Amino acid sequence: MKILNDLNEKQKEAVLYNAGPHMIVAGAGSGKTKVLTYKIAYLISEGIEPSTILALTFTNKAAREMKERIRALIGKKVDLLWMGTFHSIFAKILRAESDSINYKSNFSIYDREDSVSLVSNVMQALNINIDTLTPGGVQHKISWLKNQMISPEDYLKSFATTLPEKKIAEIYTEYNKRLKENNSMDFDDLLLKPIELFNSSPKILQDYKKQFKYILVDEYQDTNRAQYQLLKMLSPVKDKICVVGDDAQSIYGWRGAEIRNMLDFEKDFPKVKIFRLEQNYRSTKTILAAADSVIKNNIDQIHKTLWTENNDGEQLTIMKCSDEKDEAFQIAKRIKKEISTRKLSLNDIAILYRINAQSRALEDALRREKIPYKIIGGVEFYRRKEVKDVIAYLRVLANQNDEESLLRIMNFPQRGIGNTSISKMIAFARKLNITLFKTMARVFEVIEVKERIQKNVKQFKLLLDKYIDLKEKLSLYELISTLVDELGILKIYKEENTPESLARYDNIQELLAAIQEFTKENPKATIDEFLAEVSLISGVDQFNEKENSVTLMTIHSAKGLEFPLVFITGLEEDIFPLNQKFDPDSRIEEERRLFYVALTRAKEKVFITYARSRYRFGEVAYQSKSRFLEELDPNTYHELNGTSGRKSGRRRKGFYDEFYQDSYEDYDQERRSFRVGSRVVHSIFGTGKVLQITGTGDMTRVTIAFEEHGTKTLLAKFANLKLV
């Protein structure tokens, strides 16, 4: 019972309840993680076997922190828990039951970049060349369909009406087929395949239902349809299930999360008991009042009123800036002032933005002012090219069917095996229905490939065979460090001696250090186990709170974190909320929840910035203030006027500034046609600016500079563009 002494009354009630399904509605900063960890510790202290408890989180970081806290309360028993992210837990189950779904247990897990590469190869093989379809856009659509549990067959039958949609269905079908041939799964498969497994093998499902006597779910508001289905399937006898979440922080609808899973929990589990954690331990009264004044404008929500015993604190400061460079400069200047007056450390400060593109100006200003910073959710360590190259070698050693990884390393480091030769080998493999790896052993039969290149392929195959044999004889670190040494990658980067090559050199050294540490902690670890670990690491998992630097991140990456001082940038219509004119009302509510999340990351002070103009789509766009600023309670903030007008020293005003102002302000927003200079939105590529229009009638082509996807030329007939 000593475990309960640290809890307030509402937290204690939630921890003690164990009579059936219950939902803990945990407001921001209300001690959600504490309640979950204490609940698990309490169950174990009451005699429940740890191995019968399934605790699901959304990040490895959350699982790791919870395990450490539980270990501090009850000791080593925590190691017997089934605790981890949805993806890691179900990957573990899939590896154990792989035979039942016709996979090998050493299957590879593809991240988004791997999936996009596979989609690109599929489109090339199917000879699909439609302007509106890009590998990235198609991969995003496939991922969304998988999250909605819509198969290629169902999509083709019920949803695909246009030619591009029918082509997506064709790509989707072949993409799944290739994944299977490669003994690989993408992230979405890690949730879909267990459903297939349980539906096709009722005995296996019953075994896991008997295994798990209690299920606890963190961040329930972020679950998608597949995750919800898995929870329903595994729900224990008497529905011993506890979900914890905050509907006001449901911000992942764009990737399939369904807030209705939380709003409708009472319908799904009629005997549910609901606990509300409303005391906030993080923020000041003023910050909470500001957040509440905005979120109350949402219709879809579970009613709650956050309160705190913390002091009133300072008002929020809203800073009006002339442009994105002025915004960045003012933030950098303010950081120096706040560090001096508040005696803060750099790691007490976070700068949050809605889209990654906003970080460039901020980075420039911080570098200029010599303020150390780190970016979370940018190019993550395990997604960097040179790191992925080494990881691809490990994947092939573990799983020779992994064609995507083999293609990545076939000519890295360069060994004279060009794309033409690789295409001939792939054609040979498809013709004989064998893997590319097996084709390498028979490369002398591929007569279209030159003899010199055949020898290079043979040498490469011998190298791989050597390390496939050694992986059972050497420790993981010995194997990988020896391989890297033989490949000569470090030597190549060092001799190149450019800032970029030396950064790549350092990253590979860091990877080797990470593998050495992993081997030290897990002496008998295999390649499969290491790959399983790194394939599921996200950007926030690598967040180091102790590193003394300002943190830059998107608001999505910031969820679950807290900082004494927070800057929220870019509060302008079409940036935050993003493209609101073309989103249904529910998306506006999600954008509002995102702003609520941003505000409630702060413990002591919030600065909010917006710019009068911003450089977008290659020219100056004149911005209007975000509606969210109008929704803030006037008593919670004061506004500072920054500089006005674009500074001549930063970007010389010229033809485009004047042209854009005229065309944007005078343009008839109700006109249904578009012209050069129009701002448009596309369902996959987002917002962009029309650069050129060619052709007439059905053959009209539009060249558009998209904000996040670069320049594309689309056939207007199929593009379905909407004017901004």
Side-chain angles (χ1 to χ4, degrees):
M1 294 300 290
K2 288 180 183 177
I3 286 175
L4 305 176
N5 293 341
D6 293 337
L7 304 173
N8 67 35
E9 284 306 309
K10 289 291 184 185
Q11 291 173 335
K12 195 180 293 185
E13 286 176 24
V15 166
L16 288 173
Y17 186 77
N18 193 25
H22 48 302
M23 178 165 69
I24 302 171
V25 181
S30 63
K32 166 181 69 70
T33 304
K34 184 177 186 178
V35 167
L36 256 181
T37 54
Y38 276 59
K39 189 171 186 70
I40 293 169
Y42 179 72
L43 286 171
I44 295 170
S45 71
E46 288 293 290
I48 306 302
E49 282 296 321
S51 60
T52 66
I53 297 173
L54 172 62
L56 295 162
T57 67
F58 271 81
T59 66
N60 292 303
K61 182 175 184 290
R64 195 165 54 243
E65 287 176 358
M66 283 173 62
K67 263 191 173 179
E68 286 169 5
R69 290 194 195 186
I70 297 168
R71 181 175 281 108
L73 293 170
I74 60 163
K76 289 184 178 179
K77 286 184 180 179
V78 68
D79 295 328
L80 300 173
L81 283 169
W82 281 70
M83 175 180 275
T85 64
F86 274 88
H87 291 89
S88 65
I89 290 293
F90 287 106
K92 180 180 175 181
I93 289 173
L94 287 170
R95 290 193 193 281
E97 311 294 344
S98 57
D99 287 348
S100 299
I101 52 170
N102 297 317
Y103 267 80
K104 295 176 184 174
S105 63
N106 61 347
F107 59 80
S108 299
I109 299 172
Y110 283 3
D111 62 20
R112 184 180 183 276
E113 186 183 332
D114 301 322
S115 295
V116 170
S117 175
L118 180 55
V119 167
S120 178
N121 290 334
V122 167
M123 289 175 70
Q124 192 175 348
L126 296 176
N127 199 26
I128 292 174
N129 187 20
I130 296 176
D131 288 335
T132 55
L133 299 182
T134 65
V138 173
Q139 186 276 336
H140 180 78
K141 182 70 174 180
I142 290 172
S143 178
W144 187 87
L145 290 168
K146 286 191 174 188
N147 276 312
Q148 298 299 315
M149 297 177 64
I150 299 171
S151 68
E153 298 75 26
D154 290 341
Y155 178 61
L156 183 61
K157 183 179 177 183
S158 305
F159 302 98
T161 55
T162 66
L163 176 62
E165 287 171 338
K166 288 175 181 175
K167 289 297 180 184
I168 287 174
E170 188 179 350
I171 297 164
Y172 186 8
T173 301
E174 183 64 19
Y175 169 81
N176 277 351
K177 183 184 169 202
R178 291 280 187 92
L179 280 173
K180 182 71 175 61
E181 288 171 352
N182 291 0
N183 191 36
S184 301
M185 298 187 192
D186 61 22
F187 267 33
D188 304 310
D189 286 333
L190 298 180
L191 302 177
L192 290 179
K193 296 295 181 186
I195 294 172
E196 290 178 22
L197 169 70
F198 294 151
N199 279 331
S200 62
S201 306
K203 184 184 180 303
I204 291 175
L205 173 60
Q206 287 307 313
D207 288 343
Y208 283 102
K209 279 178 76 74
K210 288 175 186 174
Q211 171 76 41
F212 303 132
K213 303 289 195 300
Y214 294 83
I215 296 180
L216 301 100
V217 186
D218 190 16
E219 306 285 11
Y220 185 66
Q221 77 279 350
D222 292 334
T223 52
N224 61 28
R225 187 168 296 182
Q227 287 161 330
Y228 166 78
Q229 183 69 26
L230 284 166
L231 291 173
K232 286 284 284 182
M233 293 175 105
L234 288 171
S235 184
V237 179
K238 297 184 182 177
D239 291 330
K240 298 280 182 140
I241 183 168
C242 169
V243 300
V244 185
D246 182 5
D247 57 294
Q249 296 186 69
S250 178
I251 58 174
Y252 289 108
W254 52 274
R255 72 178 187 197
E258 297 193 3
I259 191 173
R260 300 248 51 106
N261 289 350
M262 190 160 189
L263 299 177
D264 295 343
F265 193 74
E266 291 176 85
K267 294 178 186 174
D268 301 323
F269 296 91
K271 295 179 182 178
V272 67
K273 188 169 177 62
I274 295 178
F275 298 90
R276 286 178 170 81
L277 304 183
E278 297 172 309
Q279 182 176 0
N280 176 285
Y281 291 92
R282 177 187 299 153
S283 307
T284 63
K285 288 185 174 73
T286 301
I287 291 171
L288 284 190
D292 184 63
S293 67
V294 174
I295 201 65
K296 71 181 183 184
N297 290 284
N298 272 6
I299 295 168
D300 283 338
Q301 60 177 299
I302 297 170
H303 178 72
K304 73 186 89 61
T305 304
L306 287 187
W307 61 277
T308 184
E309 291 178 348
N310 295 341
N311 59 32
D312 289 344
E314 297 179 46
Q315 286 187 317
L316 286 66
T317 300
I318 298 177
M319 300 195 300
K320 179 181 179 181
C321 310
S322 63
D323 59 22
E324 73 281 356
K325 292 198 173 185
D326 180 41
E327 176 185 55
F329 172 72
Q330 289 202 50
I331 288 171
K333 187 172 67 173
R334 181 62 65 169
I335 285 172
K336 287 187 170 180
K337 183 177 179 181
E338 294 297 317
I339 286 173
S340 173
T341 57
R342 293 178 193 269
K343 308 301 180 191
L344 294 173
S345 299
L346 291 169
N347 57 5
D348 291 328
I349 302 169
I351 305 174
L352 308 181
Y353 37 82
R354 178 63 185 85
I355 54 176
N356 281 309
Q358 290 172 255
S359 74
R360 185 187 56 79
L362 294 164
E363 289 185 74
D364 287 345
L366 293 174
R367 277 197 298 264
R368 196 165 54 244
E369 296 300 317
K370 295 182 170 55
I371 298 173
Y373 68 90
K374 59 179 175 288
I375 293 184
I376 305 299
V379 181
E380 299 158 18
F381 179 74
Y382 286 100
R383 305 289 180 265
R384 290 172 185 165
K385 179 197 176 297
E386 59 280 6
V387 174
K388 279 187 71 77
D389 288 337
V390 176
I391 295 292
Y393 271 95
L394 304 189
R395 281 178 164 183
V396 173
L397 300 187
N399 170 20
Q400 288 83 63
N401 286 21
D402 186 349
E403 188 174 286
E404 286 305 304
S405 295
L406 186 54
L407 288 171
R408 186 180 185 101
I409 62 173
M410 187 75 76
N411 203 33
F412 175 82
Q414 287 189 0
R415 47 178 66 91
I417 307 171
N419 289 334
T420 303
S421 299
I422 292 171
S423 296
K424 302 292 185 189
M425 290 164 61
I426 290 173
F428 181 86
R430 299 282 184 269
K431 184 179 177 182
L432 296 187
N433 196 26
I434 60 174
T435 65
L436 181 58
F437 187 83
K438 287 182 178 175
T439 297
M440 289 167 64
R442 299 174 60 176
V443 67
F444 293 108
E445 297 176 42
V446 188
I447 55 174
E448 298 94 335
V449 175
K450 293 177 182 175
E451 187 178 344
R452 173 180 56 83
I453 297 170
Q454 289 176 344
K455 288 178 180 176
N456 293 345
V457 171
K458 188 68 175 175
Q459 285 299 115
F460 179 44
K461 174 71 165 51
L462 289 171
L463 174 83
L464 293 176
D465 286 341
K466 171 184 170 182
Y467 282 92
I468 289 167
D469 181 56
L470 282 173
K471 72 179 181 179
E472 307 298 334
K473 300 170 183 174
L474 299 177
S475 75
L476 181 60
Y477 175 70
E478 288 172 331
L479 180 80
I480 296 165
S481 57
T482 306
L483 172 62
V484 167
D485 187 53
E486 182 165 350
L487 290 170
I489 301 171
L490 289 171
K491 185 181 177 187
I492 291 167
Y493 286 138
K494 199 165 188 178
E495 287 177 351
E496 195 175 319
N497 200 29
T498 64
E500 184 185 8
S501 71
L502 294 176
R504 295 188 189 281
Y505 176 92
D506 289 342
N507 286 334
I508 291 179
Q509 292 283 30
E510 189 176 337
L511 173 64
L512 291 173
I515 293 167
Q516 189 171 29
E517 187 178 337
F518 182 80
T519 306
K520 195 174 179 181
E521 293 174 1
N522 309 274
K524 296 181 181 178
T526 63
I527 289 182
D528 292 342
E529 289 165 337
F530 176 71
L531 290 174
E533 176 97 358
V534 300
S535 64
L536 298 171
I537 287 176
S538 65
V540 74
D541 291 332
Q542 297 166 68
F543 175 61
N544 182 358
E545 299 166 335
K546 295 173 184 175
E547 186 182 332
N548 196 24
S549 53
V550 173
T551 303
L552 274 67
M553 61 173 77
T554 65
I555 301 161
H556 283 96
S557 297
K559 192 159 79 73
L561 303 177
E562 58 181 41
F563 302 87
L565 176 59
V566 170
F567 290 86
I568 309 171
T569 64
L571 261 292
E572 301 136 37
E573 290 291 304
D574 287 350
I575 288 183
F576 200 5
L578 186 64
N579 297 334
Q580 51 84 21
K581 294 175 185 177
F582 302 100
D583 283 334
D585 291 341
S586 60
R587 282 300 290 275
I588 292 303
E589 295 210 346
E590 181 158 314
E591 291 287 311
R592 191 175 283 113
R593 291 193 293 269
L594 196 56
F595 185 49
Y596 174 86
V597 166
L599 286 170
T600 54
R601 296 312 91 201
K603 297 163 83 171
E604 299 170 13
K605 176 68 179 177
V606 176
F607 287 91
I608 301 173
T609 62
Y610 69 95
R612 189 178 70 84
S613 62
R614 196 172 288 272
Y615 204 70
R616 300 174 71 193
F617 317 115
E619 62 185 29
V620 179
Y622 289 86
Q623 304 293 106
S624 56
K625 198 175 183 178
S626 170
R627 70 186 68 187
F628 299 152
L629 296 181
E630 307 295 335
E631 294 172 358
L632 279 170
D633 179 348
N635 296 316
T636 64
Y637 69 88
H638 66 278
E639 187 162 357
L640 297 178
N641 278 324
T643 53
S644 59
R646 299 184 76 82
K647 296 292 184 182
S648 59
R650 287 199 288 277
R651 186 187 296 116
R652 186 173 64 82
K653 185 173 179 178
F655 168 78
Y656 279 114
D657 299 58
E658 292 164 4
F659 167 77
Y660 191 79
Q661 187 171 11
D662 291 342
S663 65
Y664 182 70
E665 294 180 354
D666 299 338
Y667 186 61
D668 179 359
Q669 296 294 314
E670 299 303 316
R671 265 183 69 182
R672 300 190 65 81
S673 60
F674 46 79
R675 63 186 183 187
V676 173
S678 296
R679 294 174 72 212
V680 294
V681 70
H682 183 271
S683 60
I684 292 176
F685 305 130
T687 308
K689 172 184 165 288
V690 177
L691 300 180
Q692 185 181 25
I693 301 173
T694 57
T696 58
D698 286 352
M699 296 310 293
T700 301
R701 292 178 179 270
V702 191
T703 302
I704 302 166
F706 288 105
E707 187 167 17
E708 293 193 355
H709 291 274
T711 301
K712 310 282 182 192
T713 299
L714 311 177
L715 204 59
K717 180 180 178 181
F718 297 115
N720 195 25
L721 299 168
K722 295 178 183 177
L723 279 168
V724 176

